[in-house]
């Protein structure tokens, strides 16, 4: 992983890729283009599918633009899809001129030529239908997304130099970036996202406009900002996008905890600052994602790695010998993470998962060279819950020391901890850790009705399970009665 721009692509390779991709898409783009042409309408493959075709990326979701209005589009698509008994159309995007359709393995969306502009104080765009392909392309976010292929016929339309920008891996806007970002401020977030997804650099004039207009992002809903942030974090090169957000000041508005880390020295003085350390931890966590059942990208793991040290600015203390401490930054960081994710409208489950990882990321350092008792290991597993594998990744990724021997020692120690967890899991089924008696049995033994006291008794037995391992039901009954008598 690196901030270095990826090497350029030759124009010849771009042309070859688009020819090969269009040949593969011919079974859908040619008959669909002919269906619209027969009704007197223009149709063009546009945006991401054209960009990806030039990059040699294959997928089955295709975006088209057309001179037809939504009613005509829907009529043509229904007829085209009717030859497939599983074919279907939908119109959830009708207000924006978009009709969707599925036929065989293909999913297409066809949108009427349009222009959309944000009122300076509005979070929602006003949509006007247009009459020309050129006008539609001119309103798009970046030149690499402002290319089209007319169908049928496969005429490539590139009015703004998108092919050259794609070949040289540069992100530019079709017109003045100030006008583009004024029309839709979310495009500033999209610039960072595309940089992260494609490994592109961003043109200086675009960076300048993003910096000058960062405050405009405030009119965009939290949900739309969140969605772009998730795509950025899950991209192949998230450092590129995050660095752009921080350098332009956008991060100050959408994720202020990240730029705040630039001011904090790492307590080990092994890194330029905690900000750089954090980006390195993120990249190292990505490298370990193969440990997860589904592989990567995994947003929860990546965002936990990104947020793991956000509590340091609030907890920094200078010691008399010149060193710096960040006591309890794990707990403070978990609270800040929870608050930020709530503001960005993440789900309760995502908030809980990420904040749990942030709060537990330091726990391993109390392990020393293996001094933990089996009870402590059980508590580690219990507290991590279903986030244990992600915690393994974040904890391992948090080691960014340049001291090779120290790094190897930490890795060996964590290997040993995982081995202990595995041994205890096999012997005691740690993943399903629960007391020997359930709630109904507790009520029967103690003669209780449902209530707070049953919960207290259950917690006592669970703590006993963690401290001493598996107990028989009879032993658990005896210990429960002794605890109850001594209350």
């Amino acid at each position: 992983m690196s901030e270095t721009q990826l090497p350029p692509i030759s124009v010849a390779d771009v042309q070859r890729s688009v020819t090969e991709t269009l040949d593969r898409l011919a079974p859908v783009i040619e008959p669909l283009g002919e269906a619209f042409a027969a009704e007197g309408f223009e149709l063009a493959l546009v945006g991401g599918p054209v960009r990806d075709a030039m990059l040699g990326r294959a997928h089955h979701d295709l975006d088209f633009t057309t001179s037809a209005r939504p009613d005509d589009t829907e009529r043509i698509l229904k007829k085209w899809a009717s030859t497939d008994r599983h074919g279907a159309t939908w119109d959830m995007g009708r207000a924006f001129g978009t009709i969707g359709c599925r036929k065989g393995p293909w999913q297409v969306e066809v949108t009427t030529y349009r222009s959309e502009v944000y009122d300076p104080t509005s979070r929602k765009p006003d949509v006007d239908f247009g009459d020309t392909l050129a006008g539609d392309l001119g309103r798009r976010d970046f030149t690499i997304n402002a290319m089209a292929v007319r169908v049928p016929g496969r005429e490539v339309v590139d009015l703004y130099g998108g092919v050259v920008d794609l070949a040289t891996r540069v992100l530019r806007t079709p017109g003045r970036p100030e006008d583009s970002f004024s029309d839709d401020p979310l495009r500033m977030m999209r610039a960072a996202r595309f940089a992260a997804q494609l490994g592109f650099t961003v043109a200086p004039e675009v960076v300048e406009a993003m910096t000058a207009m960062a405050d405009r992002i405030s009119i965009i809903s939290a949900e739309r900002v969140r969605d772009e942030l998730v795509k950025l974090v899950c991209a192949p090169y998230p450092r590129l996008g995050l660095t752009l957000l921080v350098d332009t000041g956008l991060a100050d508005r959408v994720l202020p905890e990240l730029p705040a880390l630039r001011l904090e020295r790492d307590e080990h003085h092994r890194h330029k600052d905690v900000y750089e350390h954090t980006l390195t931890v993120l990249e190292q966590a990505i490298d370990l994602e193969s440990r997860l059942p589904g592989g990567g990208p995994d947003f929860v793991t990546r965002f936990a790695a990104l947020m793991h040290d956000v509590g340091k600015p609030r907890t920094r203390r200078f010691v008399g010998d010149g060193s710096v401490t960040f006591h309890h930054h794990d707990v403070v960081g978990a609270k800040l993470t929870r608050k930020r994710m709530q503001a960005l409208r993440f789900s309760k489950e995502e908030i809980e998962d990420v904040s749990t990882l942030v709060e537990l990321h330091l726990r391993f350092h109390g392990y020393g060279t293996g001094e933990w008792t089996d009870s402590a290991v059980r508590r580690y597993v219990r507290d991590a819950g279903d986030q244990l594998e992600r915690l393994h990744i974040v904890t391992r990724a948090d080691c960014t020391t340049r001291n090779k021997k120290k790094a190897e020692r930490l890795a060996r120690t964590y290997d040993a901890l995982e081995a202990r967890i595995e041994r205890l899991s096999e012997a005691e089924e740690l993943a399903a850790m629960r007391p020997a008696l359930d709630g109904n049995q507790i009520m029967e033994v103690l003669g209780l009705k449902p209530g707070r006291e049953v919960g207290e008794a259950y917690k006592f037995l669970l703590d006993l399970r963690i401290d001493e391992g598996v107990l028989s039901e009879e032993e658990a009954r005896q210990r429960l009665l002794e605890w109850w008598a001594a209350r």
Side-chain angles (χ1 to χ4, degrees):
M1 310 290 292
S2 172
E3 286 190 54
T4 304
Q5 182 188 13
L6 298 179
I9 311 168
S10 73
V11 174
D13 285 341
V14 170
Q15 293 171 334
R16 181 167 53 255
S17 292
V18 74
T19 298
E20 292 173 352
T21 301
L22 292 179
D23 285 342
R24 185 182 64 83
L25 300 179
V28 61
I29 63 175
E30 296 297 338
L32 194 56
E34 291 167 359
F36 275 79
E39 298 278 354
F41 300 115
E42 299 176 355
L43 184 72
L45 187 68
V46 72
V50 177
R51 177 197 70 223
D52 290 345
M54 293 182 176
L55 291 171
R57 299 180 176 184
H59 51 69
H60 287 80
D61 295 345
L62 305 177
D63 295 329
F64 294 86
T65 188
T66 182
S67 59
R69 293 308 191 249
D71 288 346
D72 293 315
T73 296
E74 185 175 32
R75 174 173 51 82
I76 294 170
L77 288 179
K78 280 185 176 180
K79 183 177 179 181
W80 178 70
S82 65
T83 58
D84 178 358
R85 65 190 183 94
H86 298 297
T89 60
W90 56 89
D91 67 349
M92 289 180 291
R94 181 183 292 274
F96 296 94
T98 301
I99 305 296
C101 174
R102 182 178 63 253
K103 182 178 180 181
W106 307 99
Q107 180 167 305
V108 305
E109 288 191 345
V110 182
T111 303
T112 301
Y113 295 154
R114 70 187 189 190
S115 61
E116 57 188 37
V117 178
Y118 275 83
D119 180 272
T121 60
S122 173
R123 289 174 180 242
K124 297 182 179 180
D126 294 323
V127 177
D128 292 321
F129 296 141
D131 297 308
T132 67
L133 177 60
D136 183 87
L137 296 179
R139 56 158 284 278
R140 294 181 178 266
D141 51 7
F142 303 105
T143 60
I144 61 170
N145 295 329
M147 299 179 287
V149 177
R150 292 186 184 274
V151 291
R154 303 191 186 184
E155 175 196 353
V156 176
V157 181
D158 179 18
L159 305 176
Y160 302 99
V163 171
V164 173
D165 287 343
L166 188 145
T168 54
R169 299 185 185 273
V170 175
L171 208 60
R172 301 182 192 277
T173 54
R176 290 186 347 119
E178 293 83 0
D179 296 334
S180 180
F181 299 152
S182 180
D183 287 347
D184 183 355
L186 189 65
R187 290 172 174 171
M188 295 186 287
M189 291 289 297
R190 286 167 62 85
R193 189 245 292 183
F194 281 124
Q197 285 181 330
L198 302 173
F200 281 26
T201 57
V202 180
E205 68 273 14
V206 175
V207 175
E208 184 177 344
M210 291 172 65
T211 304
M213 302 178 68
D215 280 337
R216 281 281 286 161
I217 199 67
S218 63
I219 73 165
I220 302 297
S221 69
E223 291 83 356
R224 295 185 74 199
V225 170
R226 174 202 64 207
D227 290 347
E228 288 298 327
L229 185 61
V230 170
K231 292 174 184 176
L232 188 163
V233 170
C234 290
Y237 313 102
R239 179 189 282 262
L240 287 174
L242 293 168
T243 300
L244 182 62
L245 290 182
V246 170
D247 290 347
T248 58
L250 275 165
D252 290 319
R253 281 79 174 176
V254 302
L255 194 64
E257 295 80 9
L258 182 60
L261 296 176
R262 290 179 299 176
L263 305 178
E264 307 305 320
R265 296 292 300 179
D266 185 86
E267 69 266 39
H268 301 300
H269 302 286
R270 296 292 190 269
H271 307 279
K272 179 179 179 181
D273 52 32
V274 177
Y275 169 70
E276 289 294 333
H277 162 74
T278 294
L279 295 180
T280 300
V281 171
L282 170 60
E283 291 176 329
Q284 294 187 166
I286 292 172
D287 291 338
L288 293 170
E289 281 181 330
S290 59
R291 293 171 55 108
L292 296 173
D298 182 69
F299 174 75
V300 169
T301 301
R302 294 188 182 197
F303 203 60
L306 188 64
M307 301 294 284
H308 79 284
D309 272 350
V310 297
K312 283 188 172 180
R314 295 278 186 91
T315 59
R316 181 175 62 163
R317 299 291 182 271
F318 294 97
V319 185
D321 62 1
S323 61
V324 182
T325 65
F326 301 96
H327 295 312
H328 307 302
H329 77 266
D330 46 347
V331 177
V332 173
K335 292 179 180 178
L336 292 173
T337 297
R338 186 174 285 107
K339 183 177 180 180
R340 178 55 49 199
M341 294 185 74
Q342 288 171 343
L344 290 170
R345 304 292 193 271
F346 279 95
S347 69
K348 290 182 179 179
E349 182 180 0
E350 289 172 311
I351 294 171
E352 186 60 31
D353 290 347
V354 174
S355 58
T356 294
L357 292 171
V358 172
E359 185 167 357
L360 294 179
H361 82 275
L362 281 184
R363 182 77 66 85
F364 161 71
H365 295 286
Y367 188 71
T369 56
E371 287 84 359
W372 277 3
T373 62
D374 284 351
S375 170
V377 175
R378 294 187 193 102
R379 289 186 184 279
Y380 189 72
V381 173
R382 193 272 307 270
D383 292 346
D386 60 3
Q387 299 306 303
L388 182 62
E389 193 58 54
R390 284 170 168 153
L391 180 59
H392 290 334
I393 292 175
V394 173
T395 302
R396 287 179 178 275
D398 194 25
C399 174
T400 59
T401 176
R402 293 186 177 92
N403 184 320
K404 186 176 180 180
K405 289 185 177 180
K406 181 179 179 181
E408 291 175 347
R409 185 180 74 251
L410 286 171
R412 286 195 304 271
T413 303
Y414 206 87
D415 288 342
L417 174 58
E418 285 199 60
R420 281 186 71 184
I421 291 173
E422 183 65 26
R423 287 195 300 272
L424 285 172
S425 294
E426 291 176 358
E428 303 179 11
E429 298 182 357
L430 290 187
M433 198 182 321
R434 57 179 61 88
L437 305 179
D438 61 23
N440 290 326
Q441 291 171 305
I442 290 172
M443 288 188 287
E444 179 184 348
V445 171
L446 299 181
L448 297 175
K449 293 181 179 180
R452 177 177 56 83
E453 290 175 323
V454 178
E456 292 175 354
Y458 187 91
K459 183 179 183 303
F460 163 74
L461 289 177
L462 180 59
D463 288 341
L464 201 63
R465 164 74 172 84
I466 292 170
D467 290 337
E468 300 184 17
V470 179
L471 300 177
S472 68
E473 284 192 16
E474 182 57 37
E475 188 172 359
R477 289 174 185 272
Q478 184 61 37
R479 299 289 290 275
L480 178 62
L481 290 169
E482 292 173 0
W483 169 80
W484 184 251
R487 287 178 82 247

